[in-house]
Amino acid sequence: MPIKIANELPAHKSLESENIFVMTEDRAMSQDIRPLNILILNLMPTKIETETQILRLLSNSPLQVEVELLQVKSHKSKNTSEEHMLKFYKTFDEICEKKYDGLIVTGAPVENLEFEEVDYWDELCMILDWSQKNVYSTFHICWGAQAALYHYYGIPKYPLEEKLFGVFPHKCLDTYHPLMRGIDDTFYVPHSRHTENRRSDIALVKDLQILSYSEQAGVHLLSDMACRKFFATGHSEYDRETLAKEYFRDVNKGLPIKVPYNYFPDNDPNMLPKMCWKGTANLLFTNWLNYFVYQQTPYDLSTL
């Protein structure tokens, strides 16, 4: 799909080098098309890397998408330059009067904190509440999914005995759900987290449906019954070497970390990781955009 992003965003050059059709702002202005307006609330510390990963997946359909990047102003990014944040990111005050076809909320490395201890928790709750009337469909990832499940439904997260780290097999629980169309009976998803949501808690909420599950990684994809909110506990957007970077970072810090499960060939960190989740990742985001954003959202967003 032609994806419209700021001309100078670092992801622009990376995506073009992969032969992904990235539309310049000038060209987009000359087209008489109503693009899908997608807002990305990026809570990850490696913002440029996360931007590129998500934009890559949003580009894999014939739909035209216009993306805006959102930050929380109650937290200052330590790993991304202030210049980048000022140039490419907006705050809630700047977008709160607008409406969007879709919102993606990323993960964040704060899962060992209680939700209320996160310094931007109140602001995040405000954005989630705002999204219910100003965004047609939302897609929450990893800690972003845990935070939304807790905020909307009171579903807690629980600490794991050790970090869930690697690429795990999953099974679809509803093969007829449009989000799962084209996805194999068994598919793989990277996970990197210290906490989990439990199936028993989710089963008590009538408004939620579990769409996929892993015997090792637990609950993976969830949807509300209106198919307006989606939650993913894994990181389908991860690049081939994202888990490797996390592994070597922790090794270099002397932290206790196991080799990511089912990731390096022969479990050898010196080998190039095998990527077995790319097809699923593309289908997941394409299905979300097509069936739950493009085909459902009103043409005139002011009527949302």
Side-chain angles (χ1 to χ4, degrees):
M1 103 179 75
I3 183 166
K4 180 195 169 190
I5 57 179
N7 298 349
E8 299 177 16
L9 192 72
H12 193 286
K13 187 174 182 180
S14 298
L15 296 175
E16 280 196 328
S17 70
E18 300 174 24
N19 292 321
I20 291 174
F21 183 8
V22 183
M23 182 175 291
T24 63
E25 295 169 307
D26 294 338
R27 179 171 180 181
M29 290 176 62
S30 68
Q31 293 199 330
D32 189 19
I33 295 174
R34 206 286 258 171
L36 296 178
N37 294 297
I38 305 296
L39 185 67
I40 300 174
L41 174 57
N42 190 353
L43 303 173
M44 291 290 278
T46 52
K47 298 202 181 297
I48 294 175
E49 182 177 347
T50 302
E51 294 159 16
T52 306
Q53 291 171 351
I54 294 177
L55 291 172
R56 181 183 293 115
L57 294 173
L58 292 179
S59 70
N60 198 37
S61 92
L63 305 172
Q64 182 174 319
V65 174
E66 183 171 341
V67 171
E68 289 185 60
L69 299 172
L70 180 65
Q71 63 173 314
V72 285
K73 68 178 182 181
S74 45
H75 178 83
K76 187 173 182 179
S77 178
K78 299 177 182 177
N79 298 280
T80 307
S81 71
E82 186 174 359
E83 178 185 7
H84 181 86
M85 300 304 296
L86 290 172
K87 189 171 186 177
F88 298 113
Y89 279 77
K90 295 181 179 179
T91 61
F92 180 68
D93 294 338
E94 296 175 280
I95 60 93
C96 63
E97 299 298 326
K98 299 179 67 175
K99 294 182 184 294
Y100 294 86
D101 298 291
L103 166 68
I104 295 173
V105 181
T106 74
V110 293
E111 58 181 316
N112 286 326
L113 297 173
E114 296 297 328
F115 290 116
E116 293 83 0
E117 294 176 352
V118 176
D119 58 6
Y120 51 80
W121 177 248
D122 290 341
E123 184 177 0
L124 175 59
C125 291
M126 180 176 62
I127 293 171
L128 293 176
D129 289 337
W130 165 87
S131 73
Q132 295 196 87
K133 292 185 177 181
N134 293 275
V135 178
Y136 188 81
S137 184
T138 52
F139 196 103
H140 312 80
I141 300 172
C142 201
W143 183 84
Q146 292 183 334
L149 289 169
Y150 178 73
H151 178 64
Y152 291 133
Y153 306 105
I155 295 174
K157 59 182 173 69
Y158 300 90
L160 295 166
E161 292 184 3
E162 63 179 21
K163 184 178 183 179
L164 184 72
F165 193 42
V167 182
F168 300 92
H170 295 66
K171 293 189 179 297
C172 176
L173 301 183
D174 184 354
T175 57
Y176 294 102
H177 195 285
L179 191 70
M180 308 306 292
R181 285 183 185 167
I183 293 179
D184 294 331
D185 291 342
T186 299
F187 61 94
Y188 293 85
V189 179
H191 288 262
S192 177
R193 51 187 167 87
H194 297 273
T195 57
E196 67 173 350
N197 295 117
R198 292 180 181 168
R199 197 170 183 173
S200 56
D201 291 326
I202 296 167
L204 299 176
V205 181
K206 293 182 179 180
D207 189 43
L208 290 176
Q209 178 185 5
I210 300 174
L211 301 179
S212 60
Y213 186 81
S214 167
E215 293 297 332
Q216 294 158 286
V219 174
H220 171 230
L221 287 172
L222 302 95
S223 169
D224 71 344
M225 290 305 177
C227 291
R228 296 280 297 272
K229 301 186 187 75
F230 295 91
F231 312 87
T233 64
H235 284 283
S236 294
E237 79 281 4
Y238 271 7
D239 291 328
R240 180 190 303 273
E241 297 187 354
T242 304
L243 292 180
K245 291 177 182 177
E246 292 185 23
Y247 171 72
F248 290 119
R249 177 200 65 196
D250 288 355
V251 168
N252 291 334
K253 289 182 178 180
L255 299 175
I257 183 70
K258 288 186 177 180
V259 174
Y261 174 81
N262 191 33
Y263 181 59
F264 293 111
D266 299 323
N267 222 29
D268 182 356
N270 296 310
M271 301 287 285
L272 181 70
K274 57 181 180 179
M275 191 170 189
C276 55
W277 63 91
K278 184 189 293 185
T280 297
N282 280 291
L283 273 172
L284 182 61
F285 278 80
T286 299
N287 287 347
W288 174 65
L289 274 179
N290 181 29
Y291 296 115
F292 303 107
V293 183
Y294 173 68
Q295 294 193 27
Q296 301 293 331
T297 188
Y299 183 85
D300 183 358
L301 279 176
S302 66
T303 65
L304 184 61

